[in-house]
Amino acid sequence: MSKAVRLEGITKRFPGVVANDDVHFEVERGTVHALLGENGAGKTTLMNVLYGLYEPTSGRVEVDGEKRRFDSPRDAIDAGIGMIHQHFMLVDPMTVTENITLGNEPRKWGGLAVDRTAAREEVTALADRYGFDIDPDARIEDVSVGEQQRVEILKALYRGADTLILDEPTAVLTPQEIDDLFGVLGELTAQGKTIIFITHKLGEAMAAADEISVLRDGRKVGTVDAGDTTREGLAELMVGREVLLDVDRPPAETGDVVASLSDITVDDDRGVRAVDGVDFELRGGEVLGIAGVDGNGQSELVEALTGLRTPDAGTVEFLGADVTDDSRRRRTEAGMAYIPEDRQERGVVMNFDLVENALLGSQHSTEFGPNGRIDWPETRAHAETVIDEYDVRTPGADTAAKSLSGGNQQKFIVGREFERDPELVVASHPTRGVDVGSIEFIHERLLELREAGVAVLLISSKLEEVQGLSDRLAVMYEGEFVDVVDPTTTTESELGLLMAGQDPAESDDPGTAESTDRDDPVDAPAGGERA
Amino acid sequence: MSDAPAEAPGTDAEAGSDPDPDSTPNAGPLGSRSNRELIAWAAIGTLAALLLGGAAFPNTILGVLADVITDKDTLSAALRLSVPIAFAALGGIFSEKSGVINIGLEGLLIISAFTAIYVTDVTGGIWIGFGGGVVASTLLALLFAVVTIEFRADQIIAGLAVWLIALGLAPFASQVIYNGPNTPTVGTTGSIYVPVLAEIPFFGALFSASPSVYMLFVAVAASWYVFERTAFGRWIRASGENPKALDTAGVNVSRVRYVGILVSGVLAGMGGSALSLDLGQFTGNGPTMVNGKGFIAIVAYLFGNYNPIGAFLATMLFAGLDAIQTVLQLQGIGLPRQLIRIIPFVVVIVVLALVGRTRLPEAAGDHYESGEE
């Protein structure tokens, strides 16, 4: 049987980095092939080579058994390769049909006009053929992320793609939409299309793919059949050593109260009550986890605590002082570190290099700026410390934050915040979109801080994360703490019930617990929209 | 002394919104922005009140204003004044929609205005001169395109350079060739007169106008068609909104942007040639005869929300005010001339403040290089 795609000995060098090192990779026609690896392992680079966006330093590309050389995506498209990028390549104010036909518009009147009727019919026919439910006249900015992704897929199919490359397709989707996507992939392969699916999530690779190839540090370390492998086996391939998915930790030795919130009430940007009378105390040396489906007020609560949003009622006390009306800067200086949930929006300035990013939040501190001037050598040394100690993979401190992979950006932010020597760390989804190796690393650092007597507030939508790290676990639902539980003695299904706003004590029928657990993803889309 | 300024703002606002009705019936194509509609309706109201007031009290200021507004000559002057601004605005739309902010429109108008006169003077053919102006403007636009696309120059700075080059070059060339910043007088484009129709009150002005006015109507319609109906129009939009989407769809972004800028050069050149050939002379003192029209064009297409028809109507608003203030200066309505003269500029500022933010093309002003992350 012929291979849909065959990459042989692909090497791609960038200044200072070897992104792909002699990679051999082949995909069987009509299958889903997952390309798995940590962030920065070189998955996207490899696929950009296949798609003609990058020219490989050496190596050859074969499509359907024929050697090809792609100078531009146009060549790859002509060879039947389509790519759905992580950031969609769609023009927001244009309609679904206009986007799908962009660059290949059907014409009439000798090319003088776009044949809009034909375009619409072709798009509708294509969508019907693959069972996509889509409004051809909707504007991209008005449709959901899941639909935008289907538009991207249709766009590739419209151009006659036989092989589709999907770059981290699930990163932006809600659990419900992920299920839909996997259904779509099944439909596509059933009709003879070949799918290459880039991901760093083990579970998804195993759920969706027929075969899985693993990349590590730019090299391919193995190709396995999805049917005969295990999560542990894949994780080991990805990081190159055995991963402890469970975290060991001694019991908490709690100290004084570091932060105390009473009766915090916050309205969100639309004026809807997001946080409704939340109280809690946080002591040094403990991790308080907040679990809950995204969009139940966690973001607003964190913003009220860190000073990014003024609560509409209630008080925030930090180290015994009322800081409710204090600015973010004063709270930072008082020892409140913050790992924001959207790292590219709030964690780093993408166009700044790492030296400048290392300074952020400390720009007023006398440590880096005697007399209002900035001591750049000192700042550089600080940036290099963070890079070294937090294992940030970068060519150097002068690299712009935007050229780091997501996981490395996150490690850098974590390092910068932890190096502040904080009394309180507010970590909002600290491992979202981060690869397995970095997750483990960030977890260890959080626990080190806890042992050093720092108070940690951990917000995460990943249950295993909050369960594994927290000493106490609060479950948030519709702006309130439903309950605060001991994570070691609470089961996942009990937590699931709490996250759905029910008290498990009131229902001892396990069947109910099951079904509520399954309901979570249904709630999630609402959260997804707000995130 | 203190009374006059206190009275002035009220009068300004009143007179200021007069010709707005020109834009009113067509507020629809401008898009659904409520502020734009608000301005349009406010203008209708002001105009209606003014005309009624003028009819009721023919011997007051209101009466004079109403007379001026309904005069055929006012529309005629407004059309003539709008030609260079509207052409430049259309050009600006092509460029900016493709992702390159062209603030050098003023410079393109200046260089084409001068060249049109010079070529006419040398060859004796008015339309050859017109073409010469267009070529000069297009060449300067090409220079702008090369430095912004090829050499990744900052678009704003390169645009300012285009303006400054033309602002220095045109009067200088005139000085060298004609020993003075003003050129001698050459023939004008004259006007096309349609019998009978030109006799209609007020709207008759539409049938007795310079050929460039009709060329403008064609250009507005053609631009609208290109953006709304052709594949190339979509590429221009995509190039300004998300060039990467266009690139990955297999269309060369740089090429689309080159064409966008060159079209802006051609259109602005037509505006500049029409401007100087309408008078038969180029005057190069101070800000030259172009005198900010290229910058008002930018305001016009922003107010028109990048829609060719909207930009034209916005231009008519500004040009109409300009026409009215000229007449009012001659008639004298008891206000200092200096105050009347600033009316169009005050309206530009008021309009900008009221419209609020126009949504710029997402990638306007950004350089795009294929294959860069």
Side-chain angles (χ1 to χ4, degrees):
Chain A
M1 193 167 177
S2 80
K3 305 287 180 191
V5 167
R6 205 174 122 86
L7 298 177
E8 211 176 281
I10 298 290
T11 300
K12 175 70 190 170
R13 285 196 187 85
F14 291 109
V17 186
V18 180
N20 289 140
D21 189 1
D22 193 29
V23 177
H24 295 260
F25 174 76
E26 46 187 44
V27 182
E28 204 80 40
R29 178 151 297 289
T31 61
V32 178
H33 195 115
L35 189 55
L36 183 69
E38 295 189 81
N39 291 317
K43 306 173 300 253
T44 303
T45 308
L46 185 66
M47 288 302 110
N48 280 340
V49 166
L50 175 56
Y51 191 59
L53 276 172
Y54 294 149
E55 207 175 322
T57 313
S58 65
R60 60 190 256 154
V61 177
E62 279 177 26
V63 178
D64 288 325
E66 244 178 88
K67 181 180 179 340
R68 294 293 194 125
R69 190 168 166 276
F70 299 148
D71 290 328
S72 74
R74 178 101 250 179
D75 298 342
I77 293 168
D78 290 344
I81 299 200
M83 183 154 177
I84 287 94
H85 297 84
Q86 194 171 358
H87 304 287
F88 298 146
M89 302 289 172
L90 296 173
V91 185
D92 288 344
M94 299 199 345
T95 67
V96 167
T97 303
E98 285 172 341
N99 267 285
I100 291 174
T101 55
L102 184 68
N104 290 58
E105 294 88 352
R107 315 277 185 99
K108 59 180 180 185
W109 303 347
L112 278 181
V114 174
D115 191 340
R116 293 186 296 168
T117 329
R120 202 171 175 285
E121 278 166 10
E122 285 171 23
V123 167
T124 313
L126 196 62
D128 287 348
R129 186 174 154 200
Y130 294 98
F132 290 9
D133 179 26
I134 214 151
D135 172 8
D137 299 320
R139 281 177 198 280
I140 293 299
E141 57 202 358
D142 297 333
V143 307
S144 74
V145 174
E147 283 175 279
Q148 292 184 7
Q149 189 169 56
R150 288 197 285 280
V151 172
E152 279 280 22
I153 294 176
L154 283 176
K155 200 166 118 186
L157 295 172
Y158 184 81
R159 287 167 174 69
D162 288 318
T163 302
L164 290 173
I165 307 166
L166 287 90
D167 189 1
E168 303 272 5
T170 59
V172 290
L173 300 184
T174 62
Q176 190 62 45
E177 287 173 327
I178 292 176
D179 284 348
D180 291 347
L181 173 69
F182 288 172
V184 165
L185 297 186
E187 184 60 39
L188 289 169
T189 46
Q191 299 201 25
K193 304 291 181 190
T194 309
I195 312 279
I196 303 173
F197 170 28
I198 305 178
T199 184
H200 64 258
K201 292 180 185 152
L202 302 171
E204 286 173 1
M206 292 183 62
D210 301 304
E211 276 192 307
I212 302 171
S213 285
V214 181
L215 281 189
R216 189 205 315 153
D217 291 334
R219 289 201 185 91
K220 196 182 88 169
V221 289
T223 297
V224 295
D225 204 283
D228 24 284
T229 184
T230 60
R231 287 175 67 95
E232 286 70 23
L234 277 180
E236 199 185 323
L237 271 179
M238 273 172 81
V239 299
R241 69 201 131 86
E242 256 186 273
V243 184
L244 297 171
L245 287 172
D246 285 323
V247 199
D248 272 344
R249 59 197 178 88
E253 288 173 26
T254 52
D256 295 337
V257 173
V258 172
S260 132
L261 277 71
S262 50
D263 202 23
I264 292 291
T265 301
V266 188
D267 289 348
D268 68 12
D269 296 329
R270 297 167 301 174
V272 178
R273 180 129 308 171
V275 180
D276 197 359
V278 166
D279 302 272
F280 66 84
E281 276 190 352
L282 187 51
R283 291 176 178 273
E286 74 165 343
V287 177
L288 173 64
I290 298 183
V293 176
D294 272 358
N296 273 299
Q298 298 96 319
S299 307
E300 287 80 6
L301 179 63
V302 164
E303 286 172 0
L305 170 59
T306 52
L308 293 166
R309 193 188 277 270
T310 314
D312 294 282
T315 52
V316 180
E317 279 184 32
F318 182 54
L319 300 173
D322 183 344
V323 296
T324 316
D325 295 318
D326 280 4
S327 65
R328 172 82 204 114
R329 174 179 162 188
R330 299 212 17 209
R331 295 188 210 201
T332 309
E333 284 167 0
M336 190 191 289
Y338 172 44
I339 301 168
E341 60 177 293
D342 187 339
R343 69 178 83 97
Q344 300 189 349
E345 192 70 38
R346 287 184 161 166
V348 288
V349 178
M350 296 293 272
N351 285 319
F352 279 14
D353 64 30
L354 295 181
V355 177
E356 290 163 321
N357 269 302
L359 182 69
L360 293 184
S362 315
Q363 63 271 36
H364 299 291
S365 136
T366 45
E367 189 187 344
F368 301 114
N371 316 320
R373 285 182 300 107
I374 291 169
D375 183 349
W376 288 111
E378 182 67 33
T379 313
R380 174 175 299 274
H382 174 62
E384 277 160 3
T385 313
V386 172
I387 292 168
D388 289 347
E389 294 193 1
Y390 291 84
D391 188 33
V392 181
R393 311 255 172 92
T394 166
D398 293 316
T399 309
K402 66 177 172 190
S403 48
L404 263 59
S405 69
N408 282 310
Q409 286 169 2
Q410 188 72 5
K411 283 193 279 187
F412 184 80
I413 294 167
V414 167
R416 181 186 70 204
E417 295 303 316
F418 288 3
E419 289 295 304
R420 286 195 206 296
D421 212 1
E423 297 290 336
L424 167 67
V425 171
V426 181
S428 196
H429 304 279
T431 60
R432 176 178 278 178
V434 171
D435 54 83
V436 176
S438 307
I439 289 176
E440 192 191 12
F441 183 86
I442 292 170
H443 285 173
E444 281 170 6
R445 290 291 166 285
L446 274 173
L447 291 175
E448 276 174 28
L449 284 181
R450 164 181 174 269
E451 266 167 61
V454 174
V456 177
L457 182 68
L458 173 69
I459 296 88
S460 176
S461 47
K462 296 187 211 164
L463 265 189
E464 50 181 33
E465 179 167 89
V466 272
Q467 255 192 309
L469 294 176
S470 308
D471 299 302
R472 289 187 297 149
L473 181 54
V475 182
M476 210 167 171
Y477 178 73
E478 294 202 335
E480 293 178 45
F481 278 5
V482 190
D483 202 356
V484 181
V485 298
D486 179 348
T488 52
T489 59
T490 312
T491 65
E492 278 198 22
S493 61
E494 283 169 337
L495 283 174
L497 268 182
L498 286 169
M499 284 164 69
Q502 297 175 27
D503 194 337
E506 287 166 16
S507 123
D508 23 41
D509 176 8
T512 323
E514 275 292 306
S515 70
T516 319
D517 231 1
R518 264 206 302 275
D519 277 349
D520 283 346
V522 183
D523 284 1
E529 265 165 34
R530 302 182 42 171
Chain B
M1 187 65 197
S2 65
D3 275 358
E7 196 180 293
T11 321
D12 281 352
E14 205 173 53
S17 0
D18 298 346
D20 230 8
D22 288 321
S23 72
T24 314
N26 296 287
L30 293 185
S32 58
R33 300 186 76 96
S34 55
N35 270 340
R36 284 190 171 81
E37 277 171 23
L38 194 75
I39 294 175
W41 285 112
I44 290 190
T46 315
L47 184 82
L50 211 66
L51 291 181
L52 281 176
F57 310 101
N59 296 321
T60 60
I61 290 181
L62 286 181
V64 173
L65 274 175
D67 276 353
V68 169
I69 293 164
T70 51
D71 190 0
K72 193 198 287 183
D73 292 343
T74 309
L75 178 59
S76 184
L79 284 171
R80 206 185 66 238
L81 290 168
S82 70
V83 166
I85 303 178
F87 267 119
L90 290 178
I93 295 176
F94 271 93
S95 180
E96 190 153 330
K97 272 207 172 219
S98 80
V100 183
I101 301 171
N102 186 354
I103 68 162
L105 292 170
E106 175 87 0
L108 299 178
L109 286 177
I110 294 174
I111 204 77
S112 52
F114 171 76
T115 313
I117 296 296
Y118 173 67
V119 175
T120 305
D121 187 34
V122 171
T123 64
I126 291 171
W127 292 106
I128 300 177
F130 192 94
V134 172
V135 169
S137 160
T138 310
L139 286 177
L140 191 55
L142 177 66
L143 175 72
F144 175 71
V146 170
V147 295
T148 50
I149 298 174
E150 223 68 54
F151 299 110
R152 326 183 50 149
D154 184 281
Q155 294 171 2
I156 302 298
I157 295 182
L160 284 174
V162 165
W163 172 43
L164 292 173
I165 288 171
L167 186 63
L169 195 61
F172 174 72
S174 177
Q175 187 76 42
V176 171
I177 301 166
Y178 301 111
N179 289 318
N182 301 343
T183 66
T185 310
V186 299
T188 67
T189 46
S191 65
I192 296 174
Y193 184 87
V194 183
V196 187
L197 286 178
E199 305 302 323
I200 302 173
F202 191 64
F203 292 106
L206 289 171
F207 302 100
S208 169
S210 142
S212 52
V213 170
Y214 301 111
M215 287 161 68
L216 174 63
F217 291 154
V218 174
V220 170
S223 303
W224 179 87
Y225 182 84
V226 167
F227 286 122
E228 296 298 320
R229 292 289 180 268
T230 68
F232 183 72
R234 289 189 183 172
W235 298 351
I236 291 228
R237 268 167 74 197
S239 159
E241 291 289 345
N242 187 351
K244 198 135 199 187
L246 190 64
D247 192 20
T248 49
V251 178
N252 186 324
V253 174
S254 292
R255 208 172 295 164
V256 170
R257 289 188 169 181
Y258 265 113
V259 175
I261 297 174
L262 290 181
V263 169
S264 86
V266 170
L267 288 168
M270 291 170 78
S273 295
L275 173 67
S276 60
L277 287 171
D278 192 43
L279 294 172
Q281 192 195 17
F282 173 81
T283 52
N285 287 316
T288 77
M289 71 192 300
V290 174
N291 197 10
K293 291 185 173 60
F295 293 111
I296 293 191
I298 295 175
V299 176
Y301 73 70
L302 288 176
F303 181 35
N305 205 16
Y306 299 96
N307 181 321
I309 297 170
F312 170 68
L313 294 173
T315 307
M316 282 299 288
L317 165 63
F318 299 143
L321 286 171
D322 210 9
I324 288 169
Q325 67 93 1
T326 318
V327 180
L328 288 183
Q329 277 190 47
L330 296 174
Q331 297 221 346
I333 52 165
L335 273 178
R337 275 182 27 203
Q338 288 82 350
L339 281 181
I340 298 179
R341 209 181 288 159
I342 63 169
I343 290 172
F345 300 98
V346 170
V347 172
V348 166
I349 292 169
V350 169
V351 160
L352 276 184
L354 285 179
V355 166
R357 254 177 31 170
T358 302
R359 187 183 167 284
L360 258 66
E362 197 69 35
D366 295 341
H367 181 79
Y368 181 76
E369 193 76 52
S370 183
E372 255 178 30
E373 283 297 288

